[in-house]
């Protein structure tokens, strides 16, 4: 028996326990660092599984204490000083199913249910989760397995209901900086009268997520009850999905996938659809950007991915339309929360200097969603969306949503350091490297520093002269400024050639 102690360390989706090396329990029971232990209270009614870390510093842990990280302490739900029992944790039974997948076997629906249940109950360490993810990526998932994984992830959390037979949503698979179409689509569709309760993510490796950008304007960390109120009043919202606990197993898997830079198409499909089904969507538009520096490089890959989305959607009762779009360069002029929010509001306000590509893509996508409405004839959606923006109804709806979620008054923006990246040749812009510009914006401080990022001044097809400014880097801290400018100096992400390029349409298929 040891005394419980809260250790204020955020271990991000993993339960971690801390034990002093001189603790008698450590010496007598043969505990080792990184083994899993079970911590229970005296009556045995509550228990958590955690990965053990060993502490040598008396100022962190006494020999008669057991420390728990923030997440594990909250799960146990006991006060500091409470006596707790510690024992080696039994290996999760579902690990046998993981071993089967490592061997290349096809798993059953029951197998995925067992695995996701154990992951949601924190019975897997991150190493074991990584083994599962690598096995799925290496051996691949049959389309039935993708369906089973999606169903299991939906069952791991809550499911929202909005009381409507037509609940629409839109999702982009990502990889294109500045592609903030969602913040324009939601007010357009809501102004038309359709339900579009949008739960969005924060950035993990990108310079900004929709939730990060919306947070420049309004609160996004709102409760399920607040979400219901906003949607009931205004037909739409733009909130962070983390508080809704939708498909929480997916969040745990992502926390391991990201550091490994894993993004297999099968897991991508399961991840997206699990979240959308749990969010109560009935009709979904999926944007797959295709380009040399996008997530999907070739049209054939995108078409294969589209078939997978449609197969799973058909079996789970959600109508899906997948659109392939031009992902050859960033969308809009800004990369980073503040710069992207500025672009969005310029479009909604019909300003002359609003980025045309962001406006046009948003209208085209919104038009396709409006055509989910049985009262809108095919081909009319674009004109309706354009009218909603030009009339000011989209801006009015966005302002209503901002007020309902809780308007955040703009902070006094810091005076950033600015670096101008200039063209080294004369000619025409042929290629813009999405990955390189996203990396530069991230090094500049985005999205943690919401005012950091990159402002683009040139796009594909533009004629440039030697010495012209291609883009500006904004950073508020010297170290970030140095990292970003050094990378941009090594490789600026632009390809300039003498001949005029041909730019593909926004919609490829």
């Amino acid at each position: 028996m040891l005394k419980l102690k809260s250790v204020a360390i955020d271990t991000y989706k993993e339960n971690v326990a801390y034990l002093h090396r001189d603790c008698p329990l450590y010496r007598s029971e043969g505990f080792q660092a990184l083994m899993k232990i079970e911590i229970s209270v005296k009556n045995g009614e509550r228990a958590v599984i955690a990965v053990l870390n060993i502490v040598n510093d008396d100022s962190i842990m006494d020999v008669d204490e057991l420390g728990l990280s923030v997440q594990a302490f909250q799960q146990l739900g006991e006060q500091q000083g409470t006596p707790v029992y510690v024992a080696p944790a039994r290996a999760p039974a579902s690990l046998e199913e993981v071993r089967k997948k490592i061997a290349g076997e096809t798993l059953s629906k029951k197998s995925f249910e067992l695995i996701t249940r154990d992951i949601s109950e924190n019975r897997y360490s991150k190493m074991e989760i990584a083994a599962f993810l690598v096995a799925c990526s290496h051996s691949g998932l049959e389309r039935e397995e993708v369906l089973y994984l999606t169903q299991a992830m939906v069952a791991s959390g809550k499911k929202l209901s909005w009381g409507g037979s037509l609940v629409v949503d839109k999702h982009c698979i990502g990889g294109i900086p500045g592609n903030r179409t969602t913040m324009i689509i939601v007010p357009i569709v809501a102004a038309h009268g359709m339900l579009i309760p949008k739960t969005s993510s924060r950035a993990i490796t990108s310079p900004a997520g929709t939730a990060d950008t919306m947070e420049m304007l309004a609160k996004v960390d709102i409760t399920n009850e607040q979400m219901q109120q906003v949607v009931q009043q205004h037909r739409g919202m733009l909130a962070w999905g983390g508080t809704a606990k939708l498909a929480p197993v997916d969040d745990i898997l992502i926390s391991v996938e990201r550091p490994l830079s894993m993004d297999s198409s099968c897991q991508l499909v399961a991840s997206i659809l699990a979240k959308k089904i749990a969010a109560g969507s009935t009709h979904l538009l999926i944007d797959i950007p295709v380009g040399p520096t996008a997530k999907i490089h070739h049209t054939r890959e995108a078409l294969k991915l589209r078939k997978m989305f449609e197969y799973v959607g058909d079996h789970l009762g959600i109508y899906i339309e997948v659109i392939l779009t031009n992902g050859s360069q960033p969308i809009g002029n800004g990369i980073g929360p503040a710069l992207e929010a500025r672009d969005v509001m310029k479009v909604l306000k019909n300003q002359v200097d609003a980025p045309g590509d962001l406006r046009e893509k948003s209208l085209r996508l919104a038009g396709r969603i409006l055509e989910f409405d049985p009262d809108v004839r095919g081909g009319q959606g674009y004109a309706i969306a354009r009218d909603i923006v030009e009339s000011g109804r989209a801006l009015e709806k966005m302002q209503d949503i901002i007020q309902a979620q809780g308007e955040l008054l703009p902070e006094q923006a810091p005076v950033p350091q600015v670096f101008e990246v200039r063209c080294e040749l004369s000619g025409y812009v042929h290629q813009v490297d999405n990955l390189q510009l996203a990396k530069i914006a991230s090094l500049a401080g985005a999205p943690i520093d919401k005012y950091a990022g990159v402002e683009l001044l040139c796009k594909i097809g533009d004629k440039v002269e030697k010495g012209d400014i291609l883009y500006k880097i904004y950073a508020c801290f010297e170290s970030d400024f140095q990292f970003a400018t050094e990378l941009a100096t090594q490789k600026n992400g632009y390809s300039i050639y003498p001949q005029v390029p041909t730019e593909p349409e926004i919609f490829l298929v």
Side-chain angles (χ1 to χ4, degrees):
M1 186 184 298
L2 298 170
K3 291 187 297 184
L4 183 64
K5 180 176 182 178
S6 173
V7 180
I9 298 178
D10 180 1
T11 50
Y12 192 60
K13 307 294 181 185
E14 184 174 31
N15 286 352
V16 177
Y18 303 90
L19 192 67
H20 198 288
R21 187 176 297 276
D22 293 332
C23 175
L25 187 66
Y26 169 70
R27 295 184 177 278
S28 63
E29 297 296 329
F31 286 172
Q32 294 180 352
L34 300 185
M35 73 178 291
K36 286 181 293 182
I37 59 173
E38 182 173 284
I39 304 101
S40 58
V41 293
K42 188 173 183 179
N43 56 20
E45 292 180 1
R46 288 185 298 279
V48 297
I49 306 294
V51 175
L52 182 63
N53 280 215
I54 304 302
V55 176
N56 294 322
D57 191 336
D58 295 341
S59 66
I60 298 175
M61 197 69 51
D62 286 336
V63 295
D64 62 345
E65 292 179 323
L66 179 81
L68 291 181
S69 61
V70 173
Q71 175 178 283
F73 188 81
Q74 291 174 347
Q75 286 181 6
L76 189 60
E78 293 290 336
Q79 299 294 320
Q80 292 207 73
T82 299
V84 292
Y85 292 91
V86 182
R90 289 175 291 181
S94 63
L95 271 180
E96 181 58 35
E97 307 304 315
V98 175
R99 294 187 188 98
K100 291 179 183 178
K101 195 62 196 174
I102 292 172
E105 295 184 29
T106 300
L107 299 185
S108 66
K109 181 178 180 180
K110 184 65 175 179
S111 297
F112 284 104
E113 289 173 349
L114 291 172
I115 292 169
T116 54
R117 184 196 65 192
D118 282 340
I119 291 174
S120 67
E121 293 176 356
N122 294 104
R123 295 187 177 277
Y124 275 46
S125 67
K126 288 198 172 181
M127 288 186 291
E128 290 164 336
I129 294 172
F132 170 63
L133 292 170
V134 171
C136 291
S137 179
H138 179 71
S139 300
L141 295 176
E142 300 293 337
R143 62 181 190 172
E144 292 81 6
E145 290 181 292
V146 178
L147 172 61
Y148 299 152
L149 177 58
T150 305
Q151 290 173 317
M153 289 200 295
V154 172
S156 72
K158 297 179 180 179
K159 190 172 181 181
L160 301 179
S161 177
W162 306 102
S165 59
L166 181 63
V167 181
V168 301
D169 203 345
K170 170 262 175 187
H171 187 87
C172 176
I173 69 167
I176 307 299
N179 191 23
R180 210 50 61 212
T181 57
T182 297
M183 290 177 63
I184 300 168
I185 291 169
V186 168
I188 292 174
V189 174
H192 178 72
M194 299 170 73
L195 280 173
I196 183 164
K198 179 64 180 171
T199 56
S200 300
S201 61
R202 295 185 184 277
I204 298 177
T205 58
S206 66
T210 297
D212 300 302
T213 305
M214 183 63 183
E215 201 169 35
M216 295 298 303
L217 309 172
K219 294 179 182 177
V220 297
D221 189 0
I222 59 178
T223 65
N224 289 1
E225 292 73 21
Q226 290 172 317
M227 290 181 187
Q228 293 282 352
Q229 291 175 1
V230 174
V231 174
Q232 185 177 12
Q233 292 174 359
H234 303 293
R235 311 296 289 176
M237 69 173 186
L238 282 154
W240 177 52
T243 54
K245 300 188 183 304
L246 307 177
V249 164
D250 180 50
D251 296 328
I252 298 172
L253 295 179
I254 288 173
S255 73
V256 178
E257 286 176 329
R258 294 302 187 192
L260 296 174
S261 298
M262 292 181 62
D263 206 3
S264 75
S265 58
C266 294
Q267 288 157 339
L268 176 74
V269 171
S271 173
I272 291 171
L273 293 188
K275 280 287 199 295
K276 298 307 176 185
I277 292 167
S281 303
T282 63
H283 292 66
L284 173 63
L285 182 75
I286 294 178
D287 172 19
I288 301 181
V290 181
T293 56
K295 280 187 179 180
I296 304 299
H297 299 162
H298 303 289
T299 302
R300 64 178 179 274
E301 297 176 58
L303 293 173
K304 184 178 179 181
L305 190 59
R306 180 164 73 179
K307 288 182 180 179
M308 184 67 76
F309 273 117
E310 291 170 345
Y311 171 81
V312 177
D314 286 345
H315 283 75
L316 295 180
I318 180 172
Y319 176 81
I320 293 177
E321 184 172 346
V322 181
I323 294 179
L324 278 54
T325 59
N326 175 11
S328 60
Q329 64 179 335
I331 301 294
N333 298 332
I335 305 174
L339 294 168
E340 293 178 27
R342 183 188 67 180
D343 282 352
V344 167
M345 295 311 294
K346 283 184 176 181
V347 171
L348 293 174
K349 291 177 180 179
N350 292 296
Q351 292 182 205
V352 176
D353 61 342
D357 56 352
L358 178 62
R359 182 182 189 275
E360 184 65 17
K361 184 173 182 180
S362 299
L363 291 177
R364 298 277 290 273
L365 294 174
R368 297 294 280 266
I369 295 176
L370 294 179
E371 290 170 11
F372 291 154
D373 183 349
D375 294 330
V376 176
R377 294 175 58 185
Q380 290 186 331
Y382 176 84
I384 295 172
R386 184 181 59 197
D387 177 68
I388 290 173
V389 172
E390 291 180 351
S391 67
R393 290 164 58 202
L395 175 62
E396 183 180 351
K397 180 59 68 175
M398 182 61 145
Q399 291 170 336
D400 288 342
I401 292 171
I402 289 171
Q403 292 297 325
Q405 291 184 198
E407 183 177 11
L408 294 177
L409 298 176
E411 305 171 5
Q412 184 174 358
V415 178
Q417 299 183 67
V418 182
F419 182 79
E420 297 175 344
V421 178
R422 296 183 178 271
C423 186
E424 298 174 355
L425 301 169
S426 296
Y428 294 87
V429 179
H430 272 246
Q431 292 180 336
V432 181
D433 190 329
N434 290 303
L435 294 173
Q436 185 71 357
L437 287 173
K439 189 180 295 184
I440 291 168
S442 297
L443 288 177
I448 296 174
D449 180 357
K450 294 186 180 296
Y451 293 93
V454 169
E455 180 184 17
L456 304 175
L457 301 180
C458 296
K459 293 288 190 74
I460 290 176
D462 289 348
K463 184 178 181 180
V464 292
E465 301 293 336
K466 184 177 180 179
D468 285 353
I469 302 174
L470 297 173
Y471 57 90
K472 296 179 181 179
I473 299 172
Y474 296 93
C476 299
F477 297 96
E478 181 62 32
S479 59
D480 294 339
F481 183 74
Q482 291 295 332
F483 288 137
T485 55
E486 285 176 11
L487 182 59
T489 302
Q490 294 169 8
K491 182 183 177 183
N492 64 31
Y494 275 67
S495 297
I496 312 294
Y497 297 105
Q499 65 271 26
V500 180
T502 55
E503 186 178 356
E505 292 288 330
I506 291 176
F507 286 7
L508 301 181
V509 178

